[in-house]
Amino acid sequence: MGEKNKIKVMIVDDHPLVRHGINTVFKAYEDILPVAEAENGKEAIEMYEKHLPDIVLMDIMMPMIDGVEATELLVKKWPDIKIIALTSFNDSDLIKKALKAGAISYIIKNVSGAKLVKTIKDVHNGKFVLSSQATKILLSELREPTDENIKLTEREKEILTLIVEGLSNKDISKRLFLSISTVQFHISNILSKLGVSKRTEAVYLALKQKLVKLPG
């Protein structure tokens, strides 16, 4: 399998043993390619810009710049980035912070290698993969607008549906024959109308309010 067809992954964790263990898991999968490692959030930002991986495995508790702040900074600069929060702590506050920072998935480090790889593949394919606890926490934090408050245009509904399907701004632009700036304008309006600040929050609120149907 050529490198072009492999999922490029960057591992961010301050423990070398953890990074080594994840790399060992990846060796059993031909379609997963680890391209970079970082031991803190500062390095993660530098390494991401250099390698532009498809997926970032982001530890939450790290020195210098922690995983939450690094996620927020990365998402701000690269809105289509796909970050999986990886931590030893099944803590409600950490889950909440990671998701609000823009992580697409949240998994615990004691997960099996097969489950980790499945999560990576699912996220790469545009799915928002969260544990039932993470989903519950995220939804509990979202403002509950009434149907009367949610007045999306047909174009906004169309774009929101594509966001739920996991399409990036670039993919939405190609699908709808719109410029990137136009797509970004509509997404900004969608987030504002839903009362959220992140795409992840928009996806789950949209599904909870049944503004769009589940993909597939």
Side-chain angles (χ1 to χ4, degrees), residues 11-16 19 37-44 47 59 61-65:
I11 305 166
V12 185
D13 197 289
D14 59 331
H15 294 97
R19 300 198 302 271
E37 294 183 18
E39 61 181 25
N40 56 61
K42 182 177 183 296
E43 280 190 7
M47 297 301 286
D59 186 23
M61 306 297 287
M62 295 184 296
M64 297 183 69
I65 296 179

Side-chain angles (χ1 to χ4, degrees), residues 34-187:
V35 295
E37 294 183 18
E39 61 181 25
N40 56 61
K42 182 177 183 296
E43 280 190 7
I45 296 169
E46 295 169 354
M47 297 301 286
Y48 183 86
E49 187 163 19
K50 181 178 179 180
H51 296 277
L52 296 177
D54 301 307
I55 301 289
V56 178
L57 290 179
M58 180 73 75
D59 186 23
I60 298 300
M61 306 297 287
M62 295 184 296
M64 297 183 69
I65 296 179
D66 65 23
V68 172
E69 185 180 356
T71 295
E72 196 164 16
L73 292 170
L74 285 166
V75 170
K76 185 176 182 179
K77 190 168 184 179
W78 294 280
D80 293 329
I81 191 173
K82 294 180 178 179
I83 297 176
I84 298 173
L86 186 64
T87 181
S88 302
F89 306 96
N90 197 7
D91 179 87
S92 296
D93 189 51
L94 284 178
I95 293 174
K96 189 190 311 178
K97 288 179 179 178
L99 297 179
K100 284 187 171 295
I104 293 177
S105 178
Y106 188 105
I107 55 178
I108 308 301
K109 287 181 181 178
N110 63 4
V111 70
S112 68
K115 176 64 175 177
L116 173 61
V117 171
K118 183 180 186 304
T119 299
I120 289 172
K121 292 180 179 180
D122 284 345
V123 169
H124 183 253
N125 289 328
K127 296 181 181 179
F128 289 78
V129 185
L130 295 177
S131 66
S132 57
Q133 181 184 4
T135 302
K136 183 178 179 181
I137 290 170
L138 175 62
L139 292 177
S140 69
E141 288 298 309
L142 296 179
R143 181 174 62 84
E144 291 282 359
T146 62
D147 291 339
E148 292 76 19
N149 289 335
I150 304 176
K151 296 180 180 179
L152 301 178
T153 66
E154 289 304 311
R155 177 63 84 186
E156 288 168 350
K157 290 178 182 178
E158 189 175 21
I159 290 176
L160 181 57
T161 299
L162 296 179
I163 291 174
V164 171
E165 290 180 11
L167 272 66
S168 66
N169 289 5
K170 184 178 180 181
D171 292 333
I172 294 173
S173 172
K174 290 180 179 178
R175 177 79 66 87
L176 301 180
F177 303 101
L178 299 172
S179 68
I180 292 289
S181 60
T182 298
V183 171
Q184 292 172 334
F185 172 77
H186 284 303
I187 291 176

